[in-house]
Amino acid sequence: MSKEEALEILEEIEENVGTCCAITMDPDDVLVLIDKLKEFLENV
């Protein structure tokens, strides 16, 4: 998987975080984790 593909997957997760994560984890916490992953991937 390329860095670009990984970033696209994170974008898709980010778009759906409000509907998929509200039960097990606060959506805002998930968005913070997504941002950290994006930052890491962009700097690799």
Side-chain angles (χ1 to χ4, degrees), residues 5-23:
E5 289 172 315
L7 288 168
E8 287 178 22
I9 291 170
L10 284 175
E11 289 291 331
E12 188 173 343
I13 293 169
E14 188 174 30
E15 290 172 7
N16 293 293
V17 77
T19 56
C20 73
C21 297
I23 294 172

Side-chain angles (χ1 to χ4, degrees), residues 9-38:
I9 291 170
L10 284 175
E11 289 291 331
E12 188 173 343
I13 293 169
E14 188 174 30
E15 290 172 7
N16 293 293
V17 77
T19 56
C20 73
C21 297
I23 294 172
T24 59
M25 195 171 183
D26 185 82
D28 290 335
D29 293 338
V30 176
L31 291 173
V32 169
L33 295 174
I34 289 170
D35 286 341
K36 288 180 181 183
L37 282 170
K38 280 184 182 178

